[in-house]
Amino acid sequence: MNMMKTKWMLLALCGCLGFACADDNLTPDDERPGTGEKEEYSYTAVEFRRLVNGSFRGWTTCEAIAGGEVADATQTRTVAGMNRFRPVDFHVETPWGGRLDYGTPQTVRGTEGYFRVAQADGRWYFLDPDGGAVILHGTQHVRPYHMDDTPTAEHEAGYKARFGTDAAWSAETGRMLASYGINYISYGAKRIARFPDDIRDNLLSPEYAAPGSISGRRKIAYGENLYLLRTFMWDMTSKLGYDKAFDTGKYNRLVLVFEPKFKEYVEQLAQEKCADFVGDPHFVGYYLDNELPFVAYENSSNTLGVELKHFLSLPDTYSGAREFARDFMTREGIASESAITPAHREKFRAEVAENYFRITTEAVRKADPQHLILGARLHDWSKYTRGIVEACARYCDVVSINYYARWQPEPGFMADLAMWCGDRPFIVSEFYVKAADA
């Protein structure tokens, strides 16, 4: 057993669904395999069973779910079903897994010698520190059992019997990750931290000679989450002088963006934490936070989504956010709460997002101008909301989304994201996968 926490990440869905893969040498469209002969995909019907109220339903390929929607797996896309893809026998890779046989990069963002993002041949890539166009794919929370959670006696006994030491665990884990083609991981501490020295090299530079590799050692990238807003919320009573802890069941945590202490706190936190990553070529960049409550499902919650009326009703404790809402009412010429329209609500959410991304990205870029800023892992209806995505794209190098509750990518949504992101790529920073025998 490997004894590491896993949640899959696909850092590859950038700007468009197509990536320069192994069919790039097929220049004219009419020479691509299947063009004019077959559809782009041969779909596969995949059986699934849903867990409802603690019990599994029967196996099926299609089932009605709540809200009149249908869970349909009858047309599932697979790599094997890509009719217009043809792998080449060999191509040269950098140790990061990046390809060197790609077009001239354009719209490059980032610092040379570190991870960057760029377009080439109409597709977005990460550029690795050696100049290769790379698709990052991996898993997060890669660490021994005892570096986060309180271990049970069973965990401790199993770990020591299987590995003995953290060095042995990290050496075997690093080789396993590289053998599976994984080239991105994260340490994933609750408060941002770098990989400890005794496991770092084994995980980030594992010994593995892959076919076509320039080096016998692979290089694995990593990224981490600063959790800027969440950490501010956690530290309110212990470090910031607040009398009471923030009540997430009563207030939307984004009201804290307008607290007088927030900007200074974020700047100090970024200076302290980013210092651990400055100069590290393995480090891709920073997520700012995770799944912030910009927009609730069907706008159904004040605490899970930003609502103008909720901000207007805040007590004196959070007067900064309340005054921001009042100023918005004045600027927009809204006479009373009863005159607030859906368009007003959307615009207000976008302005809240604008303030959050402006304050946080300015702090991070000041602390570390070398590495990328990877967004805030938008989730739920936030990622489907144009104003939120556009605010993220204005300030971040990459827009990240956590993509759940869908069997496979929605073509319309992918097209919307590409448009809303403008000259920024987007990535899927988290999604759910489970093997049939798990």
Side-chain angles (χ1 to χ4, degrees), residues 13-60:
L13 196 58
C14 299
C16 60
L17 283 173
F19 283 91
C21 297
D23 62 352
D24 292 342
N25 296 326
L26 306 171
T27 45
D29 283 345
D30 57 5
E31 292 181 15
R32 293 181 183 271
T35 302
E37 303 166 14
K38 296 181 180 180
E39 295 294 329
E40 185 174 1
Y41 294 98
S42 292
Y43 295 103
T44 302
V46 176
E47 287 191 318
F48 64 89
R49 57 178 182 168
R50 295 178 60 231
L51 181 65
V52 180
N53 296 327
S55 300
F56 280 106
R57 296 185 184 273
W59 289 97
T60 184

Side-chain angles (χ1 to χ4, degrees), residues 17-336:
L17 283 173
F19 283 91
C21 297
D23 62 352
D24 292 342
N25 296 326
L26 306 171
T27 45
D29 283 345
D30 57 5
E31 292 181 15
R32 293 181 183 271
T35 302
E37 303 166 14
K38 296 181 180 180
E39 295 294 329
E40 185 174 1
Y41 294 98
S42 292
Y43 295 103
T44 302
V46 176
E47 287 191 318
F48 64 89
R49 57 178 182 168
R50 295 178 60 231
L51 181 65
V52 180
N53 296 327
S55 300
F56 280 106
R57 296 185 184 273
W59 289 97
T60 184
T61 59
C62 187
E63 182 177 327
I65 58 178
E69 298 186 29
V70 176
D72 187 353
T74 57
Q75 291 193 330
T76 299
R77 298 179 181 92
T78 64
V79 173
M82 296 170 62
N83 296 320
R84 301 177 188 176
F85 169 82
R86 186 175 71 197
V88 296
D89 293 331
F90 176 82
H91 62 264
V92 177
E93 289 186 354
T94 69
W96 309 92
R99 289 185 55 177
L100 297 172
D101 53 337
Y102 62 95
T104 303
Q106 301 170 338
T107 321
V108 179
R109 294 186 63 83
T111 304
E112 190 170 359
Y114 298 88
F115 274 90
R116 296 171 289 167
V117 288
Q119 277 187 318
D121 298 327
R123 297 169 176 177
W124 281 102
Y125 298 92
F126 284 99
L127 294 183
D128 67 40
D130 294 323
V134 64
I135 293 175
L136 298 178
H137 44 279
T139 185
Q140 60 189 26
H141 302 314
V142 179
R143 56 179 180 261
Y145 75 100
H146 60 83
M147 288 189 176
D148 181 33
D149 299 321
T150 303
T152 65
E154 182 182 11
H155 281 148
E156 186 172 9
Y159 183 85
K160 289 182 176 179
R162 177 68 174 81
F163 301 107
T165 65
D166 290 345
W169 169 84
S170 59
E172 183 171 333
T173 299
R175 288 191 296 268
M176 179 200 70
L177 293 169
S179 71
Y180 291 156
I182 288 175
N183 60 358
Y184 173 94
I185 58 178
S186 74
Y187 184 61
K190 292 179 179 178
R191 292 177 184 257
I192 188 171
R194 70 196 304 270
F195 282 96
D197 291 340
D198 59 342
I199 65 173
R200 174 187 167 86
D201 287 346
N202 285 337
L203 292 175
L204 300 183
S205 299
E207 293 183 3
Y208 178 72
S213 175
I214 294 174
S215 169
R217 274 191 180 270
R218 299 297 281 177
K219 292 183 179 180
I220 293 181
Y222 74 110
E224 302 294 344
N225 200 322
L226 281 162
Y227 292 115
L228 295 172
L229 183 62
R230 188 180 77 174
T231 307
F232 178 87
M233 182 179 69
W234 281 358
D235 287 348
M236 287 175 67
T237 54
S238 61
K239 297 181 179 180
L240 296 170
Y242 286 80
D243 295 332
K244 296 181 180 179
F246 187 78
D247 188 348
T248 56
K250 190 173 183 180
Y251 306 114
N252 185 304
R253 68 177 62 180
L254 284 160
V255 306
L256 298 177
V257 172
F258 303 95
E259 285 299 286
K261 298 180 180 180
F262 180 73
K263 184 176 184 293
E264 181 181 359
Y265 174 88
V266 165
E267 289 175 348
Q268 292 176 349
L269 184 66
Q271 287 291 334
E272 173 191 348
K273 298 299 184 182
C274 293
D276 289 337
F277 304 96
V278 170
D280 187 352
H282 285 265
F283 189 64
V284 179
Y286 305 93
Y287 301 101
L288 301 170
D289 269 294
N290 186 62
E291 300 183 355
L292 292 176
F294 289 109
V295 189
Y297 176 69
E298 294 185 339
N299 301 323
S300 57
S301 169
N302 288 333
T303 58
L304 300 180
V306 170
E307 290 293 345
L308 178 53
K309 290 182 180 179
H310 174 60
F311 274 56
L312 290 169
S313 68
L314 290 169
D316 290 343
T317 307
Y318 307 116
S319 60
R322 186 183 63 201
E323 292 308 309
F324 179 79
R326 289 176 177 175
D327 289 345
F328 177 85
M329 295 281 286
T330 301
R331 292 196 310 272
E332 296 298 313
I334 307 171
S336 65

